[in-house]
Amino acid sequence: MAKANVSGKLISTFEFTRNKRCAIHGGLVAARVSHSKSSTFPEMNQTPSISVDLRSIVQIDNMKFRTFGSAASGENVFSCSWSEATLLHQTQNAQRDVLCAFTERHILRCYPAGSRIMSGNFDPSMAWSIGAQMVALNFQANDEPIWINRGKYLANGACGFIRKPDYLNNNGLQLLVEPILLLEITVLACSGWDIFLNERNPSMSPDTCICISLSGSKLDTESRMTSVFSSRAQTGPCAQPYYNETFNFRVFEPELSVLLITVYDKSAAWKDRFLAQSSSPVALLRPGIRLVPLYDKFGKYVGDHTATACVVIKVKQSTTRL
């Protein structure tokens, strides 16, 4: 009897809402409400049936990680979160194939340590190399890990999603002994350097050096630095840095590697002054002479309508695969 009273109250409330909407918006809304009443709202004694298979797809519980053995033997797929310290501990103490087998089945999210009180970040390449699906970063930091992250997702138009390499999902991880790709980067010259004149002292042009960094798996982490270019010229061809310096990188996992180019001013007395940066996935690099556009730490292009700020590089690649 109580159920009947509750049902009657619900129906009367519904009728009141329909009449009120009809008075305000006319019969069109009333017709829509009537349609929604007949098609959307189930009867009070009905329980909507949801397929077990569908429910298992759309619902993944977040659980605390315990051991790799229990995660492998359990029936349910789950998601978990590792702090930066936990990620470092697991990568140092567990085999990489065990870690990749875990992320092949379960969802892993990694996030910066709570001790980073200045909202700094860690290199996300370590998490990507074991197949972590999500890496949380402090985007307000605009530091080197953020630049690497921006370059990483250029592979899919910066939409925030890219596919993992197949060998991380299909038990295809093998012991890497020899590099797969021999990458040769020649820093030729720079252009548009008028944009980097010192604001406090416009007559002082920067003493420019360029850092070429490779970020990826543990085997693909190295940096090279050019010499310092100094010029008394403020504008014109003589003010544009010229290097023609070549650096060789032995890349073991090109699918996971990001090439980061960072430009510094060495003229500062106590610390290198950051000028610009640019990053790109190694897998997207094309052979030949390329103009690399430069961006500030926020990811905004540093050039304008008067100058095109870029680094001119020459890319050569050779594969060791047969």
Side-chain angles (χ1 to χ4, degrees):
M1 190 69 181
K3 289 185 177 180
N5 291 335
V6 172
S7 177
K9 291 180 180 179
L10 290 175
I11 293 175
S12 62
T13 302
F14 178 84
E15 296 290 345
F16 172 77
T17 304
R18 183 182 65 178
N19 295 335
K20 185 176 180 181
R21 291 181 178 178
C22 182
I24 298 175
H25 302 286
L28 179 61
V29 172
R32 290 180 179 177
V33 174
S34 299
H35 175 72
S36 65
K37 176 183 175 183
S38 60
S39 61
T40 304
F41 291 96
E43 297 294 334
M44 297 299 294
N45 59 353
Q46 287 184 352
T47 302
S49 60
I50 301 176
S51 170
V52 176
D53 294 335
L54 176 62
R55 191 162 54 222
S56 65
I57 292 175
V58 300
Q59 177 178 339
I60 298 179
D61 295 328
N62 191 62
M63 300 175 61
K64 184 177 181 180
F65 173 80
R66 300 189 182 280
T67 63
F68 292 108
S70 61
S73 60
E75 295 182 359
N76 297 327
V77 174
F78 65 88
S79 66
C80 66
S81 297
W82 288 358
S83 67
E84 178 184 347
T86 303
L87 174 65
L88 181 61
H89 172 77
Q90 296 293 357
T91 54
Q92 289 177 345
N93 293 276
Q95 296 293 327
R96 191 180 175 197
D97 57 347
V98 175
L99 295 168
C100 291
F102 172 75
T103 56
E104 181 183 354
R105 187 181 182 208
H106 305 284
I107 294 179
L108 175 62
R109 168 185 172 269
C110 301
Y111 58 92
S115 59
R116 294 182 177 272
I117 58 176
M118 300 303 293
S119 297
N121 289 298
F122 68 106
D123 189 345
S125 301
M126 181 188 304
W128 292 331
S129 67
I130 64 170
Q133 290 84 356
M134 291 178 283
V135 182
L137 297 174
N138 295 310
F139 269 61
Q140 68 271 27
N142 289 301
D143 50 9
E144 187 170 308
I146 290 292
W147 307 337
I148 295 173
N149 183 78
R150 288 197 187 108
K152 178 77 170 179
Y153 287 96
L154 286 178
N156 198 13
C159 73
F161 169 81
I162 54 176
R163 288 178 58 88
K164 289 196 292 185
D166 291 337
Y167 63 84
L168 293 182
N169 285 326
N170 302 321
N171 295 323
L173 192 66
Q174 300 177 353
L175 183 62
L176 300 173
V177 180
E178 295 295 331
I180 295 176
L181 180 69
L182 301 179
L183 179 64
E184 181 181 292
I185 302 293
T186 302
V187 181
L188 298 175
C190 303
S191 179
W193 243 236
D194 305 355
I195 205 74
F196 295 126
L197 289 177
N198 196 312
E199 296 179 358
R200 296 181 180 179
N201 188 0
S203 63
M204 180 182 297
S205 58
D207 294 339
T208 307
C209 67
I210 300 176
C211 179
I212 311 293
S213 303
L214 186 68
S215 180
S217 64
K218 289 183 178 180
L219 298 175
D220 294 327
T221 303
E222 56 181 318
S223 298
R224 307 290 177 81
M225 188 79 74
T226 66
S227 59
V228 179
F229 175 86
S230 299
S231 176
R232 294 183 178 181
Q234 301 175 27
T235 59
C238 295
Q240 314 307 315
Y242 176 81
Y243 296 100
N244 197 25
E245 299 180 14
T246 300
F247 306 98
N248 294 293
F249 297 92
R250 304 168 75 235
V251 186
F252 289 82
E253 297 181 75
E255 297 90 342
L256 294 175
S257 301
V258 175
L259 188 72
L260 174 64
I261 298 176
T262 315
V263 183
Y264 295 99
D265 176 14
K266 285 281 188 178
S267 60
W270 61 279
K271 185 179 180 181
D272 296 345
R273 183 169 69 100
F274 169 79
L275 294 179
Q277 54 83 25
S278 185
S279 59
S280 174
V282 170
L284 294 187
L285 294 177
R286 294 182 297 169
I289 297 177
R290 304 296 172 187
L291 303 181
V292 180
L294 295 176
Y295 305 90
D296 62 12
K297 65 178 182 178
F298 304 105
K300 181 181 178 181
Y301 179 59
V302 298
D304 55 22
H305 65 283
T306 62
T308 302
C310 65
V311 176
V312 185
I313 65 173
K314 183 178 181 181
V315 181
K316 290 182 64 176
Q317 298 175 346
S318 59
T319 179
T320 60
R321 291 174 175 172
L322 297 178

